[in-house]
Amino acid sequence: MADTPDGITDDRGTLADRYVDARAIDELTRDEARAEVERLTSRILELRDAYYGRDTVLEDDATYDALVRRLELIEHAFPELQSQDSPTQTVGGGVESTLFAPVEHAERMLSLDNVFSAEEFADWAAKVERDAGRPVRWLCELKIDGLALNLRYERGVLVSAATRGDGRVGEDVTVNARLVAGIPQRLFGGPGQPATADDLPDLVEVRGEVFIPTALFDELNALQREAGEREFANPRNAASGSLRQKAEGKSDEQLARMHDRLSRLRMLVHGIGAWPNPPVTAQSEVYGLLQGWGLPISSHVRVHASAAEAAQFIAFHGEHRHDVEHEIDGVVVKVDELALHDELGATSRAPRWAIAYKYPPEQVNTRLLDIVVSVGRTGRATPYAVMEKVRVAGSEVRQATLHNQDVVKAKGVLIGDTVVLRKAGDVIPEVLGPVVELRDGTERVFVMPTNCPECGTELRPAKEGDVDLRCPNARSCPAQVRGRVEHIGSRGALDIEGLGEIGAAALTQPDVPEEPPLRTEAGLFALTIDDLLPIEVVVRDAETGLPKLEADGTARRRSPFRRNPTAAEKKQGLEGPQPSAVALTLLDELEKAKTKPLWRLLVSLNIRHVGPVAARALADWFGSLDAIRAASLDELAAVDGVGAIIAEAVQEWFAVDWHVEIVDRWAAAGVQFATPGHAGPGAAAAAGGVLAGLTVVATGTLDGFTREGAQEAIIAAGGKAASSVSKKTDFVAAGPGAGSKLQKAEELGVRIIDAAQFAILVREGPDALRVSDPDAG
């Protein structure tokens, strides 16, 4: 984080100027610094009260951390402004709730200081080693995004469970904690042995984190939606809200739901509070002892001999933060040697022997400026959120889909709300819900339009009972034509350079000429230079979407397909507009696409449900488009990887006259809808393959393969590329992010292979796997 004239910023955004002075700290006078300290202190305490006391997130973690860091910097520059009760000197939130009795911890529960970059971590580690006077070993563990809990055991029996509170006094949640899976009511004296007075200390406090696994969090929010109740913004709020419930006054149904929520919680312990004379010398040994007592510890703990190795641990889990069962927001690094803990000591709020490395946030707050409806290539009308630009998970986000009008209603968002935005891994941005406490009455309800915003046709469901609304004007709706043309150029279809989003829009919705070159995709392969040269499009601002203006106030236009002649060309007598490199490339790519594999042409036709896998299966079996059109419904459905639904979609597509026009005009332009040398329907199956008769499921990220590429490789090897795991599945190729399919494979005992083994499987077959892994069945 840098202190700059434009405000205090990091790579996650700029703070609201109502809390932070826009100038650098060294430019502040003492009175200005005092005023900002008061503003910051007030806001931080307000955020703490909401977060710890009411399970409400008013600001995202990055903003909160930046506010605290700004306060720390000002207090460092003006030490006389630092008070003993400053948020930089205190822990967590106060215990003001009347729902739970206060519990005083036998030893303070400290918080952790944070670092946000590899440089900051290296500086901190170097200082620790200087203060220690020798190299140290570093214990690294994942920082669980949950609720800190203190378990107090007397002679091995759980007597209380309390939240962190202000570090000295927390809330008594013992009754609920007894229902959390993994928290033992009585400790063992050793692995699997009953406890005796001699085996266990008279008093020990164990600290850990209560959380809800990601999969169970998604299930819980689904139940919240079904019950018409507000969804949880994040797993941390779900854990805290579930643990801090009172049974008094609840109906039998409410009690059942309360117990269901508590049963979803888990706990992992990560340290000791009060414990006189522990019989171990290292933090890593503490974990071994705790595990022997029957307490749950994390499997993601490693001890490293150098800070450089610890930094590698941090970097690795930053890239793989979604490969574990729970949400993490960073890594905690501790000095492993317990004797150094006492030597290094602690500040009033945090130990000097531990640090939290915080990853860039995947959940932030931003303003919902509008909800706009777009129409895609299938005619589906989709509301999407237009937001103030915000940085989340390493990229800037302005828009996020809201799926349909029912989802907008279920999320409870109003235009003008401050909303919680999440972007997890490579998942598209998602609006989780509003921060209701920040509403000021100016917000307004979203109303779904009744007509297509692009062509004016009345929107309606595709069939009775559908939630999604669609524009039925499939042939002529400009948005649908544009979407289909862009799809044709995509990598999964014909992979045509120059036919992306900009090229498709220019061909179907130019500002000049009035009559676009493509009214439908039927004319795509008949395009000429003369069609491309007149095209002009309005230049729009990337931030606002509004047209950029010329000096005379008219909209600025450009042509993606033409250029002015160079000086050398003019000397040669060349006058007037010339084709741009984009135009020449597009026409050349269209010519090459005419002879691309049949399966790619099938995908480019935009037949519902026919993606690369089904298209490959149809092309391999029938060999030509004529054979596919001539096939009966049963013959289509019998193809492995097709089935009844896709078969019906294929026949329905060819029953539409303007669809047939596309095929006829493409063929007239030279598109080859047949696989050269194919012997006819079923011939490819007779040829077999190394995976003939085998069913393989590919899930997660497999190095060396895209999602479609993995499925294509299975089919090309003669196997069946299934989308779900069953007893009939022979192999599951699983990479990071595999999720429920991996879990299902483990339950059914299906053999699981990694990316390297998958590459061998599709190339050489299952026998090659047995050679590389003799123990495999």
Side-chain angles (χ1 to χ4, degrees), residues 26-96:
D26 58 10
E27 296 178 2
L28 298 178
T29 66
R30 187 176 184 280
D31 288 343
E32 290 167 340
R34 182 191 300 278
E36 188 173 343
V37 165
E38 291 176 355
R39 290 198 304 273
L40 287 167
T41 299
S42 175
R43 182 57 174 168
I44 291 168
L45 293 178
E46 180 184 4
L47 297 178
R48 281 188 180 180
D49 175 66
Y51 188 80
Y52 292 106
R54 293 181 277 125
D55 299 318
T56 300
V57 180
L58 298 182
E59 294 282 9
D60 55 81
D61 284 351
T63 299
Y64 175 83
D65 289 338
L67 290 169
V68 173
R69 176 65 70 90
R70 174 75 174 185
L71 182 57
E72 288 175 339
L73 293 173
I74 296 176
E75 290 179 344
H76 180 73
F78 299 89
E80 69 277 12
L81 299 181
Q82 184 184 79
S83 64
Q84 290 184 345
D85 58 356
S86 167
T88 65
Q89 305 300 305
T90 57
V91 175
V95 185
E96 299 176 358

Side-chain angles (χ1 to χ4, degrees), residues 150-498:
N150 182 69
L151 304 177
R152 182 185 178 106
Y153 288 91
E154 295 180 2
R155 294 183 177 273
V157 177
L158 178 67
V159 295
S160 71
T163 62
R164 184 199 306 275
D166 62 3
R168 295 186 181 278
V169 178
E171 294 177 319
D172 187 351
V173 292
T174 309
V175 173
N176 289 346
R178 293 185 187 278
L179 298 176
V180 175
I183 296 181
Q185 309 303 303
R186 179 182 292 275
L187 301 179
F188 296 106
Q193 300 298 317
T196 68
D198 295 333
D199 294 322
L200 297 166
D202 290 340
L203 167 67
V204 65
E205 284 188 339
V206 179
R207 274 76 190 269
E209 206 80 11
V210 173
F211 63 94
I212 182 169
T214 306
L216 296 183
F217 171 70
D218 293 338
E219 289 180 6
L220 177 59
N221 264 349
L223 293 174
Q224 293 289 107
R225 286 193 296 273
E226 290 175 9
E229 295 190 9
R230 184 176 169 187
E231 295 180 45
F232 291 103
N234 52 52
R236 191 268 170 199
N237 271 28
S240 178
S242 299
L243 193 63
R244 300 172 71 251
Q245 299 176 90
K246 276 286 192 180
E248 287 83 351
K250 282 185 167 57
S251 65
D252 290 345
E253 181 181 355
Q254 290 171 325
L255 281 174
R257 292 188 58 215
M258 172 181 166
H259 285 181
D260 175 69
R261 283 167 57 179
L262 288 168
S263 70
R264 296 172 185 273
L265 301 183
R266 303 291 185 268
M267 183 179 184
L268 292 176
V269 300
H270 53 60
I272 294 291
W275 186 16
N277 304 315
V280 289
T281 61
Q283 179 76 21
S284 52
E285 294 174 2
V286 168
Y287 289 170
L289 188 57
L290 294 178
Q291 187 175 33
W293 286 350
L295 288 158
I297 66 168
S298 173
S299 60
H300 307 286
V301 178
R302 300 291 184 271
V303 177
H304 293 291
S306 69
E309 291 180 5
Q312 291 175 356
F313 181 95
I314 292 169
F316 175 84
H317 286 286
E319 296 177 1
H320 298 272
R321 60 194 292 185
H322 302 291
D323 297 351
V324 293
E325 67 276 14
H326 51 72
E327 292 284 337
I328 66 171
D329 59 359
V331 166
V332 175
V333 181
K334 303 173 182 177
V335 173
D336 193 37
E337 187 180 342
L338 293 181
L340 280 177
H341 292 193
D342 292 332
E343 289 183 28
L344 294 168
T347 66
S348 60
R349 63 179 298 275
R352 292 190 175 95
W353 44 266
I355 201 75
Y357 186 105
K358 298 287 285 290
Y359 292 133
E362 295 192 318
Q363 185 168 301
V364 297
N365 290 2
T366 188
R367 181 75 62 183
L368 178 61
L369 302 176
D370 201 358
I371 297 177
V372 179
V373 174
S374 68
V375 176
R377 66 185 174 97
T378 64
R380 179 183 174 189
T382 304
Y384 65 91
V386 179
M387 299 164 291
E388 286 183 354
K389 182 175 66 176
V390 65
R391 192 169 183 83
V392 56
S395 63
E396 292 182 344
V397 175
R398 298 184 185 90
Q399 298 178 356
T401 181
L402 289 168
H403 303 288
N404 57 56
Q405 66 272 23
D406 285 6
V407 170
V408 176
K409 184 177 179 181
K411 288 183 181 292
V413 293
L414 304 178
I415 298 171
D417 267 335
T418 294
V419 295
V420 182
L421 178 72
R422 178 175 69 174
K423 184 183 178 188
D426 59 358
V427 177
I428 60 176
E430 176 189 7
V431 174
L432 297 180
V435 183
V436 177
E437 291 80 2
L438 295 181
R439 285 178 176 164
D440 60 12
T442 62
E443 298 79 14
R444 66 185 192 278
V445 176
F446 165 72
V447 179
M448 187 73 180
T450 57
N451 294 83
C452 174
E454 299 255 5
C455 70
T457 304
E458 184 177 357
L459 299 173
R460 61 172 185 252
K463 59 180 182 292
E464 187 177 352
D466 276 2
V467 174
D468 293 333
L469 298 179
R470 296 180 184 271
C471 172
N473 181 22
R475 184 182 191 280
S476 304
C477 176
Q480 295 184 61
V481 178
R482 181 184 69 237
R484 293 197 300 268
V485 171
E486 182 181 348
H487 172 72
I488 292 169
S490 67
R491 289 186 179 182
L494 292 180
D495 194 13
I496 298 173
E497 186 177 347

Side-chain angles (χ1 to χ4, degrees), residues 3 8 61 82 106 127 129 132 153 207 220 329 371 412 444 498 506 518 521 627 642 646 746-747 754:
D3 191 18
I8 182 167
D61 284 351
Q82 184 184 79
K127 182 180 185 304
E129 292 196 326
Y153 288 91
R207 274 76 190 269
L220 177 59
D329 59 359
I371 297 177
R444 66 185 192 278
L518 296 180
E521 59 268 45
V642 178
I646 295 176
E746 291 171 341
E747 292 173 357
D754 59 22

